[in-house]
Amino acid sequence: MKRFLILLFTSSTFAADLVQHAREHSQGEVAYSFEVEALKKDTRDLPIGVFDSGIGGLTVLEAILTLDAFHNDTLQPGSDGKPDFADERFQYFGDQANMPYGNYSSAGRTDYLRELIVKDAIFLLGKRWFDPQTKSFKKDKPPVKALVIACNTATAYGIEDIRSALKAWGLPVIVVGVVEAGARGVQAAHRDGAVGVLATVGTCASGAYPRVIGQTLGLAGRSVPTITQQGSANLAGVIEGDPAFKESVAERCTTDVRELMQAHAKGGAASPLSTVVLGCTHFPLVQSEIDAAFTALRAEAAFEKLIAPKIQYVNPAEWTARELFRELATARIRASESTGRDTFYLSIPNPVRSDLKLTADGGLEKDFKYSRQPGELDREDSVNVPMTRERIPVTTRKLIETKLPEVWKRLAE
Ligand code: DGL
């Protein structure tokens, strides 16, 4: 009877198999499980979990680490010269082996993507990680007290599944996602005109940004502006310096911004685009190139009246950081004292599996990656290992070192 009720309750969640699997392995000994009791104690001094499809979410972690928008003692808004999360420690996870998440929807695999996203959350809640030195699993990782979904695509497809799963497990873990936070950013930044969203193809296909921006403005009693989206299949890869892409960041931004404006013009909207949401983790890193593309396009007669003289950019990362502070304060689970070092993990193809289809540089082959089905919980195509500076591809490493200094300082050699 009890099992029937559990199944009934979780049937509304997509990842019902995964929810049930974790429940049946409540000691956290096997893949995709966690120790339930460890999360039913005082969680204040546990780390905060932040996850993304890869390294892009480090932009969100940087925004969290550098936020000073509140007084740490009074919790009132306003800077006090001290980082708002000074006493907290973070546990970051990037699902590098299974990314890009933004392309699962066009491959017809959103079902598998949704399972991956719940697995990411379970990893952070759990104790199990893979030690590449001994090629064995260790079970000594602390669970996290909060989950920050630092990936726009993962928030768009997975935040409801994660919330339902936590409810089914009876865990009071805080969940903050970049899309809801980004919509609050629009509420603060937007005045007149239309809103543009630049994101991955998957995020745009989900319709999450227009829906959540509409709800947020609607709840605030504001009218909902025209919202035009443009999905980019390549910009995140180009920013990371992926050699598969031959174009420069500036060229890619020019193409994507032009496509966004063509879609805006085609929509028949008379109002100029005045607010742009940088709805992919990587895009705030190239805001100046995106802005240069808008400036160049404004000089063309066809777009002159459709682009406002000054564009307001919304970086959801900043708003996510504020949201996280408020949620921790409301739940009274801010760290009681300085709690130590941050840790970083990255997924890699499972080295003990000989049947995986791999590329020349050791990644999961594209066709294999996008052909998988959910529900096969007894196989681990990828394992999660400590992320060191060494394990990050050289071009990406440079990007982190130059643009995300607080994260870089915390990454182990
Ligand atoms: N992190 C993803 C996002 O913000 C971009 C990279 C990917 O497609 O995995 O949507």
Side-chain angles (χ1 to χ4, degrees):
M1 180 64 178
K2 197 170 162 210
R3 192 184 151 99
F4 171 74
L5 282 175
I6 291 165
L7 285 173
L8 198 72
F9 181 62
T10 55
S11 62
S12 58
T13 20
F14 170 77
D17 287 357
L18 205 47
V19 172
Q20 185 58 18
H21 169 90
R23 209 187 257 278
E24 281 167 2
H25 299 279
S26 61
Q27 298 301 309
E29 294 295 307
V30 301
Y32 319 125
S33 71
F34 56 91
E35 199 182 327
V36 175
E37 284 312 309
L39 284 154
K40 296 212 162 154
K41 299 177 187 146
D42 180 354
T43 63
R44 271 180 304 173
D45 293 332
L46 292 178
I48 296 168
V50 179
F51 75 87
D52 176 50
S53 56
I55 58 93
L58 293 174
T59 59
V60 179
L61 183 57
E62 180 81 9
I64 294 171
L65 293 171
T66 53
L67 186 76
D68 178 18
F70 297 91
H71 287 264
N72 288 20
D73 296 332
T74 63
L75 310 182
Q76 294 303 309
S79 158
D80 62 356
K82 196 176 165 202
D84 294 332
F85 297 96
D87 290 337
E88 303 287 350
R89 71 184 151 141
F90 292 86
Q91 200 179 101
Y92 182 88
F93 173 58
D95 191 13
Q96 193 79 9
N98 298 299
M99 70 132 6
Y101 279 7
N103 295 342
Y104 278 86
S105 71
S106 44
R109 281 288 179 267
T110 51
D111 47 0
Y112 190 72
L113 172 64
R114 289 173 67 183
E115 186 177 276
L116 280 176
I117 298 162
V118 179
K119 283 179 180 171
D120 296 344
I122 292 177
F123 168 71
L124 288 172
L125 295 172
K127 59 185 180 184
R128 197 169 165 274
W129 59 281
F130 190 80
D131 180 359
Q133 249 94 48
T134 59
K135 286 202 169 31
S136 62
F137 287 99
K138 295 263 160 63
K139 290 164 190 162
D140 57 1
K141 183 181 87 51
V144 299
K145 64 179 172 186
L147 288 163
V148 177
I149 312 180
C151 176
N152 294 264
T153 317
T155 308
Y157 287 94
I159 194 165
E160 290 312 327
D161 291 334
I162 291 177
R163 286 195 171 130
S164 310
L166 289 167
K167 204 165 168 195
W169 295 320
L171 297 179
V173 174
I174 285 168
V175 185
V176 175
V178 281
V179 175
E180 289 165 358
R184 261 184 270 278
V186 172
Q187 185 186 342
H190 186 67
R191 293 290 162 261
D192 311 309
V195 172
V197 177
L198 287 168
T200 63
V201 173
T203 298
C204 293
S206 75
Y209 266 111
R211 188 178 65 250
V212 181
I213 292 170
Q215 287 164 352
T216 306
L217 293 180
L219 273 175
R222 302 250 307 260
S223 59
V224 180
T226 301
I227 302 172
T228 309
Q229 310 188 86
Q230 176 57 36
S232 179
N234 298 353
L235 185 53
V238 174
I239 294 169
E240 280 192 33
D242 183 336
F245 302 109
K246 303 292 171 227
E247 57 200 336
S248 69
V249 167
E251 285 164 344
R252 189 68 238 171
C253 289
T254 302
T255 309
D256 289 336
V257 167
R258 181 175 288 281
E259 280 172 7
L260 172 71
M261 287 316 303
Q262 280 165 344
H264 184 58
K266 219 194 245 160
S271 50
L273 205 81
S274 58
T275 302
V276 172
V277 181
L278 301 172
C280 170
T281 44
H282 295 58
F283 297 177
L285 295 171
V286 296
Q287 184 181 316
S288 55
E289 285 90 340
I290 291 172
D291 197 48
F294 275 112
T295 304
L297 218 54
R298 203 185 282 115
E300 293 185 21
F303 299 113
E304 196 193 346
K305 294 205 166 58
L306 288 178
I307 304 174
K310 183 167 167 38
I311 291 193
Q312 300 292 337
Y313 291 94
V314 173
N315 176 1
E318 290 166 22
W319 296 90
T320 304
R322 287 166 192 259
E323 190 81 13
L324 176 65
F325 185 90
R326 274 192 288 264
E327 290 279 342
L328 291 177
T330 306
R332 298 180 187 277
I333 54 166
R334 293 172 70 235
S336 61
E337 57 188 6
S338 193
T339 47
R341 281 189 67 103
D342 304 320
T343 46
F344 297 79
Y345 296 89
L346 203 64
S347 63
I348 58 166
N350 189 340
V352 298
R353 287 263 306 271
S354 53
D355 59 323
L356 296 175
K357 296 206 169 52
L358 300 181
T359 57
D361 60 3
L364 291 176
E365 229 179 46
K366 203 169 156 216
D367 289 348
F368 170 76
K369 203 188 281 185
Y370 294 112
S371 66
R372 295 172 292 170
Q373 300 287 346
E376 297 184 58
L377 303 179
D378 53 349
R379 52 180 265 192
E380 286 178 272
D381 295 343
S382 52
V383 291
N384 305 333
V385 302
M387 179 203 289
T388 55
R389 290 180 182 178
E390 268 293 274
R391 253 189 214 108
I392 302 172
V394 185
T395 44
T396 315
R397 215 185 296 164
K398 275 242 129 48
L399 203 69
I400 302 170
E401 188 177 1
T402 52
K403 303 223 172 177
L404 309 173
E406 283 303 318
V407 168
W408 181 250
K409 266 200 294 200
R410 290 163 168 84
L411 268 175
E413 297 284 335

